[in-house]
Amino acid sequence: MIIPINRQLNLVKSHQAGFPYCYCILIKDQSQVLIDSGCSSDIAADLRQQGIDIVINTHFHWDHTRQNQNLGQVQVWCHGLDAPAIRSADIYMERYGFKAFAAEEIGRLFIQANKITDRPVHRELYDGEILDLGKVHLRVIHTPGHTPGHCVFFEEHTGILISGDIDLTSWGPWYLHICSDLDDLIGSIEKCMELRPSMVISGHKGIVDHDLQARFLTYRDCILRKEDEVLRALDKPLTLEELGAFRIFYGFKTKFDKYLQFWEQQGVYIHLQRLIRKGLVRREADRYFRI
Ligand SMILES: [Zn+2]
């Protein structure tokens, strides 16, 4: 479904907006531009017929790039730090930590199930660049943390912020893979907040246009709450595997398996990196100690 937001911007909504799909934005201007391509295949076929010139990916994740190759002869643009993980399925795998966490079998299934392949990126974006699309001018704002090259796009004239996976969901930010960084992510959420947008269009929440300052703070604080949980769990020295069993991210109501344990461990690992930098935790052999 394509829902007009204003004369140029349109929200592209698939039947679901969770992984492996997202909300996309269609900009009808001098060129036809699609921001993120994580829509369902029926919508991709429709967009292909309408004619898309440029796809801009907020970041490399599959649920934001899945239709890049199904939209005809498009130019693909993405920040230079995430372009390698679109160009190479091997680099995609590395960033998800399948190898580093000895979960290569899970990785193979993930790549196969989603049919992730090497795909082109034609232009690498950089922070501060203005994308002049005709009437719409988008400022590229590098907002790393969720992924190294995550970007949001700010339309200064209307105050609309296209925020990708700084998505303002109540679950909080997702950072359960080794290429995430929490200091960067907190800084990026605050950067979005400081823009004081009039409207946010996020990858998994769609249009959010009320209580934005409070919502950004609540969203950022989800990270700090989980950080406290990691610290509380470290009442005694624990391994990453033992910390993963606390299910800080997906909880006890969810059906638990090897796959979820893999994500839990990576999420805890990302918190531990920040806690070590802050001098609150140290590592000795395979155990983590609260200082
Ligand atoms: Zn993402």
Side-chain angles (χ1 to χ4, degrees), residues 230 233-243 246 268-269 272-273 276 280-291:
V230 174
L234 280 174
D235 246 355
K236 55 178 183 186
L238 293 173
T239 64
L240 208 51
E241 197 178 341
E242 288 164 339
L243 280 163
F246 279 79
V268 167
Y269 176 81
L272 290 169
Q273 300 319 296
I276 289 169
L280 296 172
V281 167
R282 68 186 164 84
R283 182 182 174 170
E284 224 174 87
D286 64 345
R287 290 188 185 276
Y288 292 87
F289 295 70
R290 193 167 69 198
I291 294 171

Side-chain angles (χ1 to χ4, degrees), residues 59 61 63-64 146 165:
H59 62 296
H61 283 162
D63 54 327
H64 294 256
H146 176 65
D165 268 357

Side-chain angles (χ1 to χ4, degrees), residues 142-154:
H142 182 211
T143 44
H146 176 65
T147 68
H150 186 280
C151 286
V152 299
F153 301 96
F154 190 49

